[in-house]
Amino acid sequence: MKYLVVNGDDLGYSVPRNEGIVRCFTEGIVTSTSILINGEAVQHAVDLVEKNGIPTVDLVQKNGIPTGLHLNLSEGVPLTQATSLLREDGCMLGKLEIREQHKLGNIDFKQVDEEMQAQIDKFELLMGVKPFHVDGHQHVHLLSGISEVFCEVLTRNGIFVTRLPIEDISETYLPNKDFLQTVINDSHSAKQVFDRFGIRYTDRFIGLDSFETSVDSIIQKLADMLNGGNHGDTFCEFMVHPGYRTEQEGGCGCGPDDFSQSHYRENELNILCDTKLKNFIDKSKFKLVNYETLFLTEAFSIRK
């Protein structure tokens, strides 16, 4: 059996992003989401996931869309006084500058620990439970040193599921290919840390391409995932960033970025709700699951 989690990132960023992600859950193939707990539309997001869920005995959030934490150390305003993560204007450094400051040794890991814990605590306050899975906004959780703190915080809170974005992009044209290759390299290093702490992740991953995608290209990637790997149970994640375009209101306290305002967000939304893609999934050997149901499968528990 090939198990597939389709996770919509950046819930809470803006009302349009929230509404788009929820539409992809109710009408498309998205099976779970992860929330930016410092997002400007976080309360709207919480209300939506509670309202639009499908009751099932397997879910941690019994009547809501399965929702994890999209841990954010790089965009907007933090929940704590994490000065080593900040620019002079009080906003966090951004995905490129945090990596530069990390290389220079300027990130205070104690502050990282405190910010991570604060975000988990706020998630629990708003959602009523701790997150079942935690992934990283802009993949900052993979950086050396930060990945160790990440694992320590997760295990301290009884959380053992994350994302490991290792994907072959060698034959793909991407405008930010160098950055994404760095993310993949960081993932290989973080994998050793995750394994040491017993943090679980899927066997296969796709989704680093958030730009020029089409229904046919997604179907081809999913077909390749079906045909690759072993012939037994395989556990896969498809990371997506759908939503209606964010205009002026949104972000994480410092306004919306170009990524959220791009037409690519609505392109992803339309692809994920496309009948051709849904028919492919229905006829394939994929079983759509969320992290909770995946974790509860006997094979996953044994292998990890």
Side-chain angles (χ1 to χ4, degrees), residues 66-258:
T67 303
L69 175 62
H70 200 47
L71 188 75
N72 182 8
L73 300 174
S74 55
E75 182 178 355
V77 178
L79 302 185
T80 62
Q81 299 296 317
T83 54
S84 70
L85 302 178
L86 299 180
R87 306 187 310 234
E88 290 183 359
D89 63 1
C91 296
M92 285 193 279
L93 294 166
K95 70 178 184 181
L96 299 181
E97 185 60 25
I98 191 173
R99 286 170 165 84
E100 287 302 314
Q101 294 303 315
H102 173 264
K103 288 180 183 178
L104 294 171
N106 292 335
I107 302 300
D108 185 325
F109 292 154
K110 184 176 185 297
Q111 292 181 356
V112 169
D113 182 301
E114 292 171 350
E115 178 63 24
M116 288 181 178
Q117 186 61 56
Q119 292 189 26
I120 291 173
D121 290 346
K122 184 173 179 181
F123 182 102
E124 185 174 15
L125 177 66
L126 293 176
M127 300 294 292
V129 293
K130 289 184 185 293
F132 187 85
H133 76 275
V134 179
D135 50 44
H137 187 50
Q138 300 173 340
H139 311 292
V140 175
H141 71 302
L142 304 170
L143 297 177
S144 63
I146 291 179
S147 62
E148 283 84 353
V149 177
F150 176 76
C151 289
E152 289 170 358
V153 174
L154 260 59
T155 55
R156 189 167 71 221
N157 286 274
I159 303 166
F160 295 96
V161 179
T162 192
R163 167 182 293 154
L164 189 67
I166 296 176
E167 180 178 5
D168 183 4
I169 61 171
S170 59
E171 298 182 2
T172 306
Y173 167 75
L174 296 169
N176 59 342
K177 190 171 182 177
D178 289 344
F179 171 76
L180 295 179
Q181 189 58 57
T182 299
V183 169
I184 294 168
N185 295 342
D186 290 337
S187 296
H188 285 289
S189 298
K191 181 179 183 297
Q192 302 177 42
V193 181
F194 293 167
D195 290 345
R196 189 168 76 247
F197 279 85
I199 303 297
R200 305 178 178 189
Y201 46 83
T202 57
D203 301 318
R204 305 286 300 279
F205 171 91
I206 61 171
L208 288 177
D209 181 359
S210 296
F211 292 92
E212 292 288 358
T213 56
S214 65
V215 172
D216 289 340
S217 67
I218 295 301
I219 288 175
Q220 184 59 57
K221 286 185 178 183
L222 291 172
D224 291 343
M225 189 180 281
L226 276 174
N227 296 328
N230 58 54
H231 296 290
D233 291 322
T234 304
F235 310 102
C236 312
E237 180 187 1
F238 179 17
M239 176 185 73
V240 297
H241 296 83
Y244 297 106
R245 290 177 66 174
T246 300
E247 300 296 339
Q248 298 300 318
E249 295 185 7
C252 298
C254 296
D257 61 8
D258 293 341

Side-chain angles (χ1 to χ4, degrees), residues 261-296:
Q261 296 177 304
S262 166
H263 70 277
Y264 294 121
R265 306 287 67 73
E266 292 189 16
N267 183 49
E268 282 198 48
L269 185 157
N270 292 330
I271 288 171
L272 294 167
C273 294
D274 189 273
T275 300
K276 184 177 181 180
L277 178 58
K278 291 192 287 186
N279 288 340
F280 169 80
I281 294 289
D282 289 341
K283 295 176 182 179
S284 74
K285 296 180 181 178
F286 277 123
K287 179 178 180 180
L288 288 175
V289 295
N290 54 66
Y291 285 103
E292 292 90 334
T293 53
L294 175 60
F295 176 81
L296 291 172

